[in-house]
Amino acid sequence: MSTNEASSRRRFLSTVVLLGAGSTASAAPKSKPAEVNATEDLMREHGIIRRTLLVYEEIARRLDLHEEKAPVEVLARTTRLMRRFGEAYHEKTEETEVFPRLVKAGQQKELVQVLLEQHAAGRKITESILAATSGRDALTQPQPRAAAARQLNLFIRMYGPHAAREDTDLFPAFRNLFDEKQFNELGERFEEQEHRLLGSDGFENALKEVAQLERALGIHDLARFTPSER
């Protein structure tokens, strides 16, 4: 098996079920692994960030309810995940690999400027939230709770449109800067950076962590988000 085929970060195994008249059920063979390209990689990272925003949303809701105990530890863990995975890794990749190439090509300059400003604003909010979770009596009083909830809601309101605009406008423009060979090489470079900054299973570990945070708040069941008829 080649190095590319063995890449645990950028491939998934799909199975093909072969059905034939009168045939008996048998184990489905594995198909050839499919590669995850550079922009798809960034969009999958947005998936983890969006799930982090769902955790933020639930915590903000609870902070607005005075009878609810503030989930301080969950908030601290979630914010550290956002800082480590969302800011120090994902946003850094955008700022060093994506934005400069687009600006050099004379594309998406205004959008890039707004995105950079939002990265900076988000990091300030992250530091503010982390500060609010420190101390023995963190988020026990109405005013700090309200302030933290407001910060979380500001972050959520900003990052949803931020990621959506990147997915639909920025990343397609970025993809068009490369031929197929260059784009494949860039994908491998992204993977190397991930391993260097987050370890060999950085994405998978971040995914596990956000799933644990969802479970800690009882929002891990996707079905609970389905509207019910009244």
Side-chain angles (χ1 to χ4, degrees):
M1 181 178 290
S2 68
T3 301
N4 287 343
E5 290 172 330
S7 172
S8 62
R9 174 67 181 85
R10 302 195 181 293
R11 287 148 177 88
F12 64 90
L13 296 177
S14 59
T15 58
V16 179
V17 179
L18 302 178
L19 299 177
S23 65
T24 59
S26 60
K30 295 179 179 179
S31 67
K32 183 178 179 180
E35 184 174 356
V36 178
N37 65 42
T39 49
E40 185 179 354
D41 195 19
L42 292 166
M43 293 168 75
R44 291 176 70 202
E45 291 164 9
H46 275 170
I48 289 181
I49 292 172
R50 287 188 171 99
R51 288 176 68 168
T52 302
L53 298 184
L54 290 176
V55 176
Y56 275 177
E57 184 178 344
E58 175 63 16
I59 293 174
R61 185 190 70 80
R62 296 189 187 190
L63 289 173
D64 283 333
L65 300 175
H66 299 305
E67 66 276 12
E68 285 272 0
K69 182 180 178 181
V72 177
E73 179 56 30
V74 177
L75 176 55
R77 288 174 55 199
T78 307
T79 309
R80 288 194 295 266
L81 174 62
M82 182 63 209
R83 183 172 62 178
R84 182 177 69 254
F85 182 84
E87 296 172 353
Y89 168 62
H90 174 82
E91 290 180 1
K92 182 178 180 181
T93 300
E94 292 177 337
E95 292 170 2
T96 59
E97 300 288 348
V98 180
F99 296 170
R101 286 184 169 92
L102 284 167
V103 171
K104 185 177 181 180
Q107 298 185 34
Q108 305 290 328
K109 288 184 177 181
E110 291 184 4
L111 177 57
V112 165
Q113 183 58 39
V114 174
L115 295 172
L116 284 169
E117 291 171 358
Q118 291 184 340
H119 283 184
R123 288 165 190 168
K124 288 181 180 179
I125 292 175
T126 295
E127 291 305 314
S128 176
I129 294 171
L130 283 173
T133 61
S134 64
R136 183 175 179 180
D137 298 323
L139 301 180
T140 58
Q141 299 302 314
Q143 185 173 352
R145 287 171 65 107
R150 180 176 181 276
Q151 291 290 297
L152 290 170
N153 284 322
L154 286 172
F155 193 96
I156 294 164
R157 179 174 173 80
M158 178 186 73
Y159 223 102
H162 177 99
R165 195 63 64 89
E166 288 182 338
D167 288 346
T168 56
D169 292 352
L170 193 87
F171 295 160
F174 177 68
R175 170 64 183 92
N176 288 334
L177 298 178
F178 305 91
D179 62 29
E180 196 65 28
K181 181 176 183 295
Q182 293 171 331
F183 200 57
N184 289 338
E185 291 173 351
L186 184 66
E188 293 304 318
R189 177 171 173 162
F190 279 18
E191 182 177 5
E192 291 171 1
Q193 289 179 341
E194 178 196 321
H195 292 170
R196 185 169 64 253
L197 293 172
L198 299 176
S200 60
D201 296 315
F203 177 87
E204 289 78 10
N205 289 336
L207 183 58
K208 290 177 183 177
E209 187 169 358
V210 77
Q212 291 170 356
L213 294 166
E214 291 168 341
R215 186 169 292 276
L217 295 178
I219 61 169
H220 57 285
D221 183 3
L222 182 61
R224 76 187 296 273
F225 295 98
T226 306
S228 58
E229 294 184 4
R230 297 290 181 179

